[in-house]
Amino acid sequence: MAIRVLIADDQEMVRTGFRMIVDSQPDMEVVGEAADGAEAVALARRLRPDVCLFDIRMPAMDGLEATRVLAGPGVADPPRIVIVTTFDMDEYVYGALRGGAVGFLLKDSGPALLLEAVRAAANGESLVSPSITVRLLERLAKPSAVPPPP
């Protein structure tokens, strides 16, 4: 059975590119596209995709808020959401992961990593762009970032 994917990005060219990449795979299919966060939430609730690919900055409702609405704390049976954005900012990464996203990719990561993130999310795993992962690990390794043992 194919992994059902919903794409939400305010740029039609990006949605088209993601659709071409995802639909090129025999184990994936795009089941819907949204141009803003509010439409993404409505489609996700109606279509019940396995994985959602959300941009952060979109009209009506941004991707972080859409993620919180669909997958935030207390949401039963949330979709697996991967944020895909051009904005390499720590506050976006933390906001996305705290809001329920299972992955965070930069748009310049390339098609192979996008497909890997979709498969990881569908399998209950997480994937974060390597450059962000390195930064997160460096931050965690700082003595002030690690809480003292009990």
Side-chain angles (χ1 to χ4, degrees):
M1 192 159 123
I3 301 168
R4 303 174 73 241
V5 179
L6 171 67
I7 299 167
D9 195 295
D10 60 325
Q11 295 180 7
E12 184 178 2
M13 189 178 299
V14 171
R15 290 193 314 273
T16 300
F18 286 176
R19 175 183 280 279
M20 291 173 63
I21 293 165
V22 170
D23 280 343
S24 74
Q25 301 301 297
D27 62 334
M28 296 180 194
E29 69 172 320
V30 174
V31 295
E33 292 182 26
D36 64 61
E39 183 183 11
V41 168
L43 282 175
R45 287 178 170 158
R46 185 169 49 97
L47 299 174
R48 303 294 303 153
D50 301 307
V51 178
C52 299
L53 300 175
F54 285 1
D55 187 18
I56 287 184
R57 293 191 183 169
M58 296 185 286
M61 178 187 296
D62 70 24
L64 296 178
E65 180 62 22
T67 298
R68 281 190 295 275
V69 167
L70 291 170
V75 175
D77 194 29
R80 310 286 292 170
I81 299 173
V82 176
I83 298 294
V84 188
T85 185
T86 57
F87 300 101
D88 185 5
M89 298 167 55
D90 287 348
E91 61 265 26
Y92 284 160
V93 177
Y94 299 135
L97 297 176
R98 286 185 184 125
V102 298
F104 194 100
L105 291 182
L106 299 175
K107 286 182 179 173
D108 64 0
S109 296
L113 200 57
L114 180 70
L115 294 171
E116 190 175 334
V118 169
R119 288 189 180 102
N123 289 326
E125 300 167 355
S126 298
L127 193 143
V128 175
S129 283
S131 62
I132 294 170
T133 302
V134 168
R135 202 168 60 237
L136 292 174
L137 291 173
E138 286 172 351
R139 182 174 234 177
L140 286 174
K142 290 181 184 175
S144 63
V146 178

